[in-house]
Every structure is written in structure tokens, then in C-alpha cells.
Amino acid sequence: MEEMEEELKCPVCGSFYREPIILPCSHNLCQACARNILVQTPEAESPQSRRASGSAASDYDYLDLDKMSLYSEADSGYGSYGGFASAPTTPCQKSPNGVRVFPPAAPLPPPPPSALAPPPPPRSACLTCPQCHRSLGLDERGLRGFPRNRLLEAVIDRYQQGRAAALRCQLCEKAPKEAAVMCEQCDVFYCEPCRLRCHPPRGPLAKHRLVPPAQGRVSRRLSPRKISTCTDHELENHSMYCVQCKSPVCYQCLEEGKHSSHEVKALGAMWKLHKSQLSQALNGLSDRAKEAKEFLVQLRNMVQQIQENSVEFEACLVAQCDALIDALNRRKAQLLSRVNKEHEHKLKVVRDQISHCTVKLRQTTGLMEYCLEVIKENDPSGFLQISDALIRRVHLTEDQWGKGTLTPRMTTDFDLNLDNAPLLQSIHQLDFVQMKVAWFSFDPSSAHADIIFSNDNLTVTCNSYDDRVVLGKTGFSKGLHYWELSIDRYDNHPDPAFGVARIDVLKDAMLGKDDKAWAITEGGITKGATVGVLLDLTRRTLTFSINEDQQGPVAFENLEGLFFPAVSLNRNVQVTLHTGLPVPEFYASRSAMQ
């Protein structure tokens, strides 16, 4: 249940939601927090008026203008529209959970009186969602136009009641002490020092009723829940579900409101249907979570295996070195250092992946537990208010556990073979033998759907004019590897790209457009040319050649992790892969000199 707590906290104040409202973007806010970040904008600049005038394509265009006027490219926070473009920028504040919010802009000083001064423009209210940064306009009802999320309130109540029996003070700044009393009017638990400091028995507070913490929790549990009512007709309960608007409505909405011409269905039937859809979506996500748990066990076992292999390899290395003469002893320390670095590198990569997967699993588990608690509710109206958003989130989270996420980025084996055959006079050249000639082809399973394969998956082209990415079947995390790609067809537009990439690189953009690929995209590439790619993970470098001519000394340095051969091309390009090749002479001679 602890993983679900993140789902129950407001993104602005960082505390459990209090009187949460549902925004049109399906996110939630405390009503008080929404009121705090609410700002007044000129009527002509509100999202509704911009859409009506056709000056903006969407709310997100309006948001982009907000961002440019409020913070620079170096700022990673978000902001709400703070007034006219000429108004000074309002300093931002940071909520407890790291979300930056901008307080309402200070009112402008009144202009000097003038008989010819035009009347002030009408103003409307708007706020920016702190999670998706969408700019939302309010109608004449203000925040009352957003429905109350009573189902979320019920889940929060049940979660808080299920926590530890010892109730804690809500006002202690660091380690909360055990609560001594609860004020029924303030609805706050106090320890004795905080009660004396914040709730003295005098003045207006003298009339407040203080009760023991256990009695206070019972009274909270027994407080009646309000029935969800229509936001347009506050005295009416929801009775039907509007299919077009995807929201519960009352009978007056159907007779006289904006839903009168919309398709509607029975509230109970839609409630059951959406519960069934959410349950089915959770089944798939549950399988992903189970796989993630097993994957974490595998990664933790890899840590142990790496440590055991490291100990075994060091012992073997020491035994070989001790059998050699004094010259070999001077080399022994260097070789042990290489092994230790490899050991540390493997552990770092696996532990980083464990940490990343643990965080993602905790978020997934929290979402699952929250959804299960939502399914337990018997409030059809409240459920249907959030079910669509939850179903989308569940599917999106399941997609994030796609192929490659649950694949180790590191192997447990130490592929280091000490060659002790050379003569003693050659001892200064002693080094690990790491070179392995790799034979591989392109991988259809991880490639973009527009890639066309032939020649036993060694030749590829594309049926789209846009750039598409294809990876090799084999990934490399160590050693020296070289392969070539011959250009079979190329009309000089646009440029293909060749290099290496992570398994989760973008497949629908040119190689190198994100931070998960390293590639060459220009420099003498023509039809009939041969591009060579040399990946040296011992020195952590990537080098390119065209027709056996090296393209600069080193293209990329400090490469770490698991890399796959990669190509991006469109329908105007066809390339063929050649593997199992020796290291080119220009690199072999340079290595010998070093």
C-alpha cells in the first residue's frame, strides 16, 4: 500500500488531497491549491477566446507562450500566465514535492485618470495543470465548474485508516511525535508541545472540542460521505452517462443542458463496463509487474555472480603472475587493476539498472494498488469520472515495460584470457586477449515496421520517406569490434546515418537525434561507398572510416554500457552489412604504437 501513497498526494502542496477536483486533463488538485495557482488573464488572451478566434491550435500553444514569458530555457519548472506580456515576471515558488508554481501576479497600479482612457479589458480566470502543464480556462462558475473527486477522497480515507495504529502529530516539522489529542473543529492531530504552541486553550480556540486520537479517528471514519452531484445542477444527482463527453450527467442536463443532443447510456451499465475494462488492463500490467520482480531477482543474482567471478578470476590471475619472472611481477599490478575496473564497471551498470527498475516497479505497483482500490468503490459516478484516465495510464505504464526494459545491460562473465605463452623478452607486451570476431545480422524484431529485410537480414531498405532505425542482433559491452556497411542504393537525399545505439533508441527518427545513439551522418557517403564502424570498448571510443579512410582521429569517447550496431535510412537508401572482419590497418598500427 505504501507505493500507492504517491497517487494520493497533491502535486502542488505535496500532502494528501483535500477536497480534490478533477481538471479537464484528468489530473487532480486540492481545491485550495487550485485556488492558490489560479490567475486572472485578459479576456482576449484566455484559452477559450484564443480558440474561438482561431489564433491558437490548442491549449498547448497557449501554454508555450506562457512558458516563454515566465522562465528561461535553463529553468525546468513550469509557470502559469502571470498577466500582460509587459508585466514583470513573477518569481516562482516550489511546492514540497518539487513542482514549481507561480503565485498570481500582483495587480498593476491604476493608470492616471484621463477622460480619454479606455475602460479596462474584461478578465477571466485560468490555471495551469502542474502535471501536464496544460492551460485551463474557467467559466463563470470558477472552480465549482470542475467536478469533485469524491472517489479519490474515499480511497484516501481508507488508506489513512489502514496505516499504523499510532497516530502522529500533523504539525511536527521533523520526526512527528505520537498525537496526544485531536481537535474536532480543526480536524488536526496534535502532540502535547504542538498543542500548547499552536492550539492554546484561550480565545476562539477555547470553544474547540479536543478528543483522544483514537476517538478522533473513529469520528473521521464515521463522517458521512456526500453523494456526487452534477456540477451544472448542484441539487441533482448523476443518473446517466454522456458517451460523447465521457462524463456522468443528471436528467436536467439531458432536458435543457448541453448534453440534450448527445448519446447517453445507463450509469450502472457504463460503470460495470469501465470497471471491467480497468480490470482487464490491470491484468496485463500485473503480468508486467511480475516480470519486473523476477527481473530484479535476476539482476541481484547477477551482482552475486559478478562478485564470485571476480574473485575466481583474480585468484587465477595471481597464480599465473606468481609463476612468471620479476618482469611479469611488474606487469601483474597493472593487470589486476584492469580486472578491478571491469568488476566495478559491471557492478555499477547492474546496480544502476536495479535502481532504475526498482523505481519504475514501485510506481507501477502504486498505480496498481490505487486502481484496485478504485475498483472496490461503489460510486458509479465517481468511478466514471476517473476511469478513462486510469485506463489510459495503465496501458501507458504497461507499454513502458516493453521489450528491452527487462533485458540486462551487462553480462556476468569476465571474457578475459591471459596469454602466457610469449617469451620473457616480450613480457612488456603482455595484455588481455579480448578481440572476438562477431558474426551478426540485422534484427527484424527490434526494427521499425517500415524496414524491409533481404539477403538473410543482411540487407535493409525502407518503404517510408522518413528516417527509420534498424539495429544489429548482437550487443557489445566490451572488447574491440569492427563491421562495415556497403551503400547499395543512395540518391543523395537525405543522408543515412551509421553508428551504434542503445536498445531503446528512437526508431522513427534519424540516428543521433536523441541521447541514445552515436552516429556519422555525412562526409563522402555515396552509392558504392563502404562505411566502417570500429567500436573499441577497451578504450571506450567509436571511430568511423569511409572507403578505408579514417574520418578524423576519434568520433566519440567515454562510451559505457551495452551498444548495438545501428543504421537509419529511408526508401531512397539500401545498405548491406558485412561482419566478422579484422581490425583495419590504420587502427591496428596506431594500437601497436601505443
Side-chain angles (χ1 to χ4, degrees):
M1 294 286 286
E2 292 182 0
E3 289 86 350
M4 184 177 64
E5 187 168 310
E6 185 177 340
E7 299 281 340
L8 308 181
K9 289 187 176 181
C10 174
V12 175
C13 65
S15 302
F16 287 108
Y17 287 103
R18 296 178 65 90
E19 299 182 357
I21 58 175
I22 306 175
L23 303 180
C25 57
S26 300
H27 294 124
N28 298 286
L29 276 182
C30 298
Q31 193 168 41
C33 295
R35 192 178 297 111
N36 288 339
I37 66 174
L38 193 66
V39 294
Q40 298 293 325
T41 62
E43 183 69 31
E45 299 183 21
S46 66
Q48 292 91 337
S49 60
R50 289 171 60 87
R51 284 193 295 269
S53 62
S55 61
S58 70
D59 287 348
Y60 293 94
D61 298 332
Y62 183 75
L63 174 62
D64 291 339
L65 296 179
D66 296 344
K67 289 181 179 178
M68 289 189 293
S69 65
L70 287 177
Y71 55 86
S72 69
E73 294 177 357
D75 195 347
S76 61
Y78 85 95
S80 299
Y81 189 84
F84 295 100
S86 60
T89 302
T90 305
C92 69
Q93 299 173 347
K94 207 165 189 179
S95 68
N97 62 343
V99 176
R100 293 188 177 184
V101 296
F102 288 83
L108 296 174
S114 172
L116 300 179
R123 302 177 71 80
S124 63
C126 96
L127 60 83
T128 299
C129 174
Q131 290 182 278
C132 66
H133 299 176
R134 181 178 178 182
S135 190
L136 307 169
L138 279 69
D139 56 21
E140 64 279 357
R141 295 172 298 170
L143 294 177
R144 291 185 296 104
F146 296 141
R148 181 90 165 264
N149 195 341
R150 301 192 184 280
L151 192 144
L152 176 57
E153 289 181 288
V155 173
I156 292 174
D157 287 343
R158 190 161 57 246
Y159 175 79
Q160 291 179 321
Q161 292 167 14
R163 299 175 75 178
L167 296 172
R168 301 291 177 179
C169 175
Q170 295 176 278
L171 297 183
C172 290
E173 293 184 357
K174 294 184 179 178
K177 299 179 181 178
E178 187 171 347
V181 295
M182 174 201 171
C183 176
E184 289 188 336
Q185 284 70 31
C186 300
D187 194 24
V188 173
F189 290 94
Y190 299 93
C191 64
E192 191 61 26
C194 290
R195 183 191 68 79
L196 295 174
R197 185 178 69 254
C198 304
H199 200 286
R202 60 179 180 271
L205 299 178
K207 298 181 180 180
H208 287 197
R209 182 169 179 245
L210 301 179
V211 297
Q215 181 181 343
R217 185 160 74 172
V218 171
S219 64
R220 277 185 171 181
R221 188 183 301 120
L222 297 179
S223 59
R225 292 178 184 165
K226 297 181 180 179
I227 300 176
S228 180
T229 58
C230 179
T231 55
D232 294 325
H233 310 94
E234 297 182 355
L235 299 179
E236 299 295 335
N237 296 335
H238 292 138
S239 57
M240 299 294 288
Y241 179 80
C242 178
V243 177
Q244 181 173 337
C245 299
K246 296 184 177 180
S247 64
V249 295
C250 69
Y251 80 94
Q252 285 194 15
C253 293
L254 302 179
E255 292 182 355
E256 57 190 43
K258 61 182 180 181
H259 304 277
S260 57
S261 60
H262 295 176
E263 178 187 359
V264 295
K265 292 187 177 181
L267 195 66
M270 293 302 295
W271 173 45
K272 293 180 180 178
L273 175 62
H274 281 223
K275 268 198 173 185
S276 174
Q277 291 176 350
L278 181 57
S279 299
Q280 292 175 2
L282 278 176
N283 289 336
L285 186 58
S286 176
D287 293 339
R288 292 294 185 182
K290 182 179 179 181
E291 293 175 7
K293 291 179 180 178
E294 295 173 351
F295 180 60
L296 281 174
V297 173
Q298 178 185 355
L299 291 178
R300 293 188 178 101
N301 291 337
M302 286 179 63
V303 171
Q304 180 65 26
Q305 189 66 40
I306 290 173
Q307 292 173 335
E308 293 175 359
N309 289 349
S310 174
V311 172
E312 180 181 353
F313 189 81
E314 288 183 17
C316 179
L317 179 61
V318 170
Q320 289 178 320
C321 290
D322 288 343
L324 299 178
I325 60 176
D326 294 340
L328 184 59
N329 288 329
R330 292 191 297 269
R331 188 70 173 168
K332 179 175 61 175
Q334 299 177 11
L335 298 178
L336 282 172
S337 176
R338 290 274 302 277
V339 174
N340 288 331
K341 287 182 180 179
E342 181 73 13
H343 172 209
E344 293 171 0
H345 170 64
K346 284 179 175 289
L347 291 179
K348 181 180 182 300
V349 172
V350 175
R351 283 170 176 162
D352 288 347
Q353 192 172 12
I354 288 176
S355 176
H356 176 73
C357 190
T358 300
V359 171
K360 184 176 289 187
L361 176 61
R362 183 170 63 251
Q363 294 173 348
T364 300
T365 305
L367 177 59
M368 289 171 54
E369 291 179 354
Y370 174 57
C371 291
L372 291 174
E373 290 298 324
V374 168
I375 291 175
K376 293 177 184 178
E377 289 297 312
N378 294 321
D379 179 4
S381 173
F383 181 84
L384 291 173
Q385 287 177 327
I386 64 173
S387 57
D388 282 307
L390 285 178
I391 292 170
R392 287 195 301 271
R393 286 186 61 193
V394 168
H395 283 305
L396 179 61
T397 304
E398 182 181 0
D399 292 340
Q400 292 174 350
W401 287 105
K403 184 172 181 181
T405 307
L406 303 180
T407 301
R409 299 176 183 171
M410 183 58 64
T411 62
T412 60
D413 296 330
F414 281 74
D415 297 327
L416 304 174
N417 182 24
L418 185 64
D419 185 4
N420 58 358
L423 299 175
L424 292 178
Q425 61 265 29
S426 302
I427 257 185
H428 66 280
Q429 298 178 347
L430 188 64
D431 201 351
F432 292 114
V433 177
Q434 288 185 318
M435 180 62 186
K436 290 185 177 181
V437 177
W439 300 84
F440 60 91
S441 60
F442 289 114
D443 184 14
S445 62
S446 63
H448 193 279
D450 293 337
I451 296 293
I452 301 174
F453 296 84
S454 60
N455 187 25
D456 293 330
N457 297 334
L458 293 174
T459 301
V460 292
T461 184
C462 181
N463 60 12
S464 171
Y465 285 106
D466 297 321
D467 290 300
R468 299 293 186 248
V469 171
V470 57
L471 302 180
K473 275 191 174 182
T474 302
F476 304 110
S477 62
K478 65 190 314 176
L480 182 64
H481 309 278
Y482 177 74
W483 61 93
E484 293 180 349
L485 300 115
S486 58
I487 314 300
D488 303 330
R489 187 177 75 251
Y490 180 40
D491 66 353
N492 299 323
H493 182 78
D495 292 327
F498 310 90
V500 297
R502 305 288 192 194
I503 186 66
D504 54 347
V505 66
L506 290 175
K507 303 299 195 306
D508 55 359
M510 177 179 282
L511 207 63
K513 290 295 184 181
D514 59 3
D515 60 351
K516 297 179 180 179
W518 296 258
I520 181 175
T521 58
E522 58 185 4
I525 298 178
T526 59
K527 180 180 178 181
T530 298
V531 178
V533 183
L534 195 150
L535 178 63
D536 188 348
L537 291 172
T538 303
R539 295 183 173 88
R540 300 190 300 168
T541 60
L542 181 64
T543 308
F544 297 97
S545 64
I546 298 179
N547 297 329
E548 299 183 354
D549 292 331
Q550 184 177 357
Q551 302 297 298
V554 173
F556 299 97
E557 297 178 311
N558 301 320
L559 299 179
E560 267 187 56
L562 184 64
F563 299 92
F564 290 80
V567 176
S568 68
L569 43 73
N570 70 354
R571 66 182 304 166
N572 297 319
V573 182
Q574 178 176 300
V575 301
T576 297
L577 175 66
H578 306 276
T579 63
L581 304 175
V583 176
E585 292 184 4
F586 72 83
Y587 197 84
S589 59
R590 187 180 75 181
S591 300
M593 293 177 61
Q594 294 177 348

